[in-house]
Structure formats: C-alpha cells, structure tokens
Amino acid sequence: MTVNGVPYEDEVEPRLLLVQYIRNTLGLTGTNVGCDTTSCGACTVLLDGESVKSCTVLAVQAEEAHVTTIEGMSLPDGSLHPVQKAFRENHGLQCGFCTPGMVMAAASLLKENPRPTAREIREGLEGNLCRCTGYHNIVQAVLAAAGQQAPA
Amino acid sequence: MIPASFDYRRAGSVAEAASLLAEYGADAKLLAGGHSLLPLMKLRLAVPSLVIDVGRLPGLSYVRDDNR
C-alpha cells in the first residue's frame, strides 16, 4: 500500500489491523488508538480518499490502496493543511488526542461538502468523539477551514 | 483488541464469493467495509475461519432502485 505517498510492501497476518500496521510497523504514531471499538474516531485515516476508522479495517483490505494519515496532511513545503491551520487558529483542540482523527474526518467531510453548515459539520463529525467536549471550537474551525465566517 | 486468526480471501467476482460461501458455509463471513463485522470479531462474538472480502467487487458497489 501507499501511505502518505510512500510505497510500502510487507507480509502481514490477515488479522493485523490497519492502525497497528500504521503505528507499529510503519512507526507513524500520529494516528491514535482511542476506544479500539469503532466508536471514537481517534484512529480516522483516509483510505483512497475516504475517511475510515483504521482500528476497524484490516491491513490486508488496504492492499494496493492509498492511505493518508495526519503525517501526510501538511503541504510539500511543510506548512499546515488548511484544516490543521484552522484548528490551530480557532483553538479547535484541548488535550489534542482526538485531533488527528478530527482533522482527517473534517478534511473528508469538506471534500464531499465544501461549504457545510454548522449542523452539517456536527452531523459529519458524529463518528468522532472529543472527551474534552471541545466540539464548539472544532465546529468553528471546520467552518473557518471552509472559508466561512463562524457565527458568534 | 485483535481478532482470532482467520484466512482471508479477496473474491475476484460475485461468483467466486458465492462459491466460497457455499464451500465454507457458516464458517465464512463476507467482509464489505468491516465496520460491523470487525468489532464483532474483536469481541469474539464472530469467529469465522474464512473472511471473504467483497469490498472491491464492482457489481456490489451500488444499490439500484428500479421502482418495483
């Protein structure tokens, strides 16, 4: 599979989860394991451009696929992806544990719906939990990333 | 959590998936995306010996409403 543009080839057991492959085999630890039960979305990555919870995808399912993790979001010149920038500017994170997954899910949402309403953002990110309950600023950040003025 | 060991086959066609299902019966499970099956497998509520991946079969990538 290709991860963040880099091709990898490994022989793995069928039961190896994609998140384990990303974190343990490739050493890309920006993708967090939160609940490990498909509830929290902390492990969200893009699989061929679509957001998936990587604790619930087998590594073998991603054979020959393109995976993007949070490490692959920054632009080639090293600057932050617009969604990452908006999270920072709008304080869209508190402890930061959910943030990589939130950014990946938000980027996927904006690809499908470039100008979502606040409600559509809340619905689009419903599979991603923030235990700090910092949802308000996350929604503001996604609105800002979509180039929309956040309502007060 | 890690599922119990199983064999993995990616079906190349609907016919191949159906024939594997017929051969393995209740020991096989179909895998589309996995967001329902894999949590069950992690909890050992499902312990298939064979997982048949149909996620990339073009013939199964849509639902068509033909108004019947």
Side-chain angles (χ1 to χ4, degrees), chain B residues 8-61:
Chain B
Y8 171 89
R9 295 277 292 276
R10 183 179 295 157
S13 65
V14 174
E16 187 189 352
S19 116
L20 284 168
L21 263 185
E23 186 182 341
Y24 285 84
D27 290 333
K29 287 278 184 199
L30 293 175
L31 177 74
H35 276 40
S36 297
L37 179 61
L38 291 177
L40 292 176
M41 289 172 62
K42 285 177 165 190
L43 295 168
R44 307 294 201 270
L45 295 172
V47 192
S49 58
L50 176 70
V51 168
I52 307 163
D53 191 347
V54 295
R56 295 189 193 183
L57 290 183
L60 299 180
S61 64

Side-chain angles (χ1 to χ4, degrees), chain A residues 7-8 29-30 45 52 64 88 96 150-151:
Chain A
Y8 293 96
T29 53
V45 301
V52 295
E64 291 172 357
R88 189 170 71 177

Side-chain angles (χ1 to χ4, degrees), chain A residues 30-42:
Chain A
T31 303
N32 285 328
V33 178
C35 67
D36 201 13
T37 57
T38 331
S39 304
C40 80

Side-chain angles (χ1 to χ4, degrees), chain A residues 68-79:
Chain A
T68 307
T69 71
I70 191 69
E71 289 92 342
M73 289 302 275
S74 56
L75 305 178
D77 68 0
S79 63

